[in-house]
Amino acid sequence: MTDIHAYDNAPEAEFGDYVALLKPRVMSLVVFTAFVGLIIAPVDVHPFIAFCSVLFIALGGGASGALNMWYDADIDAVMRRTQGRPIPAGRVTGGEALAIGLVLSGIAVMMLGLAANWFAAAFLAFTIFFYAVIYTMWLKRWTPQNIVIGGAAGSFPPMIGWACATGGISIESLLMFALIFFWTPPHFWALALFMKEDYHKAGVPMLTVTHGRAATRRHIFAYTLVLAPFSIWLGLTSVGGPIYLGVSIVLNLLFILGGWRILRRGEDAATADQYAVEKRVFKFSLSYLFLHFLALLVQHWIGGW
Amino acid sequence: MALKTEHELHGRRRSRNVGLAVVLALFVALVFGLTVVKVQQGDMMEAFDHQPRTSLLPVEEPAPAPATGEASQ
């Protein structure tokens, strides 16, 4: 009998499981912001080289996602949101994920160097290292500021895109970094406010768990205030223009208003309407970032200042 | 004798094999496309290959004519 059932729980993955290791949804943000960074840079890039560059930046991001899933498999198994990921679900072994992460990182960095330039490739390698080692292995389980510093990893793609075209760094690419960097904390803390139980169970020191929810609300509001000047400053550089500036001012006012509403609410009001405001601000924060980069793209096509 | 009953496992294996085949084919196409573009752009196509190549040496500017007047003073 055993011979018939021996295969029933065999951990053999299908192709989609390996794709899931690369965190396709995070990758979409990486693709979009890297693409915008590359296109709005003042140096023209051949369309096919631009396509390849964005592809390999995305592959590098995916590879760091696989490394993250390898290291975080124990946390993922505890949290409801991540229980279905390939490793905790038993479809992919940890060793496979590690191998895929390392090999794809190498391929992505080498190919980006060959397609674009070696500065961009080194930048990509640093980003993978930052996300997989500094964020995943070190900060995530150690400090409630994990989101803030880990957010830097997600802020690098537009800078890498810009570096693919120009071979360097400039104030515009630094401000694009700042835009995502200061956007990340309010975005994730709004999520953490209505997903508390999960992080709590996994023992990840989210700000909501370590310093309480009132402190988290204050932090969200503070970051929306800090974010606004950087977003508007970007509109005053060579990549900015009236359209971007207009979009940026409106979005920042709305985001600050959302942060203010979150700040003014207590837990009682929040539980009463099942975190409606927090959920709305979280959803809005997604559009906030998308519309900023879309505005940069539109502004580039119709010409800036 | 051919395998008649297919286990669900075989479907998963096939998806892996086909997926990898498609990825490899796309990668080949990508490298070929990159090569075409790089050649058309006139990028440097040669590198060190275990023997000196004069074609890789930087082009030497003809020495400027000896300056007369201010430069020597």
Side-chain angles (χ1 to χ4, degrees):
Chain A
M1 301 307 150
T2 45
D3 53 348
I4 293 173
H5 297 289
Y7 295 113
D8 276 0
N9 291 314
E12 278 210 33
E14 57 182 25
F15 190 68
D17 292 323
Y18 294 119
V19 176
L21 276 182
L22 308 184
K23 300 196 174 182
R25 286 179 61 189
V26 177
M27 223 194 242
S28 63
L29 175 76
V30 170
V31 166
F32 183 59
T33 56
F35 172 76
V36 172
L38 195 152
I39 292 296
I40 66 173
V43 181
D44 278 337
V45 181
H46 187 284
F48 190 72
I49 301 225
F51 167 79
C52 289
S53 303
V54 171
L55 185 74
F56 292 125
I57 297 171
L59 190 65
S64 64
L67 293 173
N68 169 275
M69 285 207 200
W70 158 69
Y71 194 81
D72 272 353
D74 57 334
I75 294 182
D76 287 349
V78 177
M79 298 208 297
R80 191 163 33 85
R81 182 170 62 90
T82 52
Q83 269 165 357
R85 285 181 177 177
I87 302 178
R91 295 194 300 273
V92 174
T93 64
E96 277 181 302
L98 174 63
I100 289 175
L102 290 176
V103 169
L104 288 187
S105 298
I107 292 178
V109 170
M110 294 307 288
M111 289 307 296
L112 186 64
L114 292 170
N117 57 66
W118 292 102
F119 178 78
F123 210 156
L124 179 65
F126 173 73
T127 304
I128 296 172
F129 171 80
F130 193 92
Y131 184 71
V133 176
I134 301 196
Y135 170 68
T136 302
M137 297 186 186
W138 183 30
L139 293 171
K140 184 174 178 180
R141 298 170 193 229
W142 178 61
T143 163
Q145 297 298 316
N146 49 15
I147 290 300
V148 179
I149 308 157
S155 319
F156 284 129
M159 282 186 87
I160 305 176
W162 181 278
C164 284
T166 65
I169 292 173
S170 65
I171 184 70
E172 292 87 351
S173 75
L174 284 170
L175 286 170
M176 283 191 283
F177 172 89
L179 181 65
I180 307 182
F181 183 76
F182 291 112
W183 163 88
T184 310
H187 168 76
F188 273 109
W189 282 330
L191 176 73
L193 275 178
F194 57 86
M195 300 271 282
K196 175 191 173 188
E197 283 73 20
D198 265 344
Y199 292 110
H200 190 64
K201 245 182 9 188
V204 177
M206 281 302 261
L207 194 66
T208 43
V209 180
T210 56
H211 289 71
R213 333 202 91 216
T216 307
R217 291 171 186 280
R218 282 197 299 277
H219 275 72
I220 291 176
F221 180 60
Y223 269 99
T224 59
L225 289 181
V226 174
L227 172 62
F230 287 101
S231 155
I232 289 163
W233 186 4
L234 183 57
L236 304 175
T237 63
S238 69
V239 297
I243 292 184
Y244 171 83
L245 207 56
V247 169
S248 161
I249 289 172
V250 171
L251 288 174
N252 276 292
L253 284 177
L254 288 172
F255 206 24
I256 290 173
L257 182 67
W260 175 251
R261 285 200 178 130
I262 286 186
L263 176 72
R264 299 302 294 170
R265 269 152 73 86
E267 281 310 305
D268 296 339
T271 20
D273 63 5
Q274 290 170 333
Y275 294 93
V277 172
E278 287 79 1
K279 284 177 181 166
R280 208 160 53 228
V281 172
F282 174 75
K283 274 189 193 140
F284 172 76
S285 69
L286 286 167
S287 329
Y288 175 95
L289 199 67
F290 176 72
L291 290 175
H292 263 88
F293 278 87
L294 190 64
L296 281 174
L297 207 55
V298 172
Q299 190 71 70
H300 174 75
W301 281 329
I302 63 164
W305 295 119
Chain B
M1 193 181 85
L3 193 62
K4 282 187 185 144
T5 334
E6 256 209 8
H7 193 276
E8 174 260 347
L9 174 72
H10 296 109
R12 276 184 279 156
R13 263 183 208 165
R14 191 182 310 112
S15 98
R16 243 164 43 209
N17 295 339
V18 172
L20 188 60
V22 170
V23 166
L24 288 176
L26 286 179
F27 186 67
V28 170
L30 208 69
V31 171
F32 181 69
L34 267 176
T35 311
V36 171
V37 171
K38 293 266 176 189
V39 169
Q40 279 174 351
Q41 284 186 337
D43 286 11
M44 175 96 83
M45 282 297 120
E46 291 181 73
F48 176 73
D49 192 20
H50 304 93
Q51 56 179 333
R53 288 192 187 182
T54 45
S55 57
L56 286 182
L57 295 176
V59 182
E60 281 185 30
E61 299 288 326
T68 52
E70 311 92 73
S72 56
Q73 286 167 10

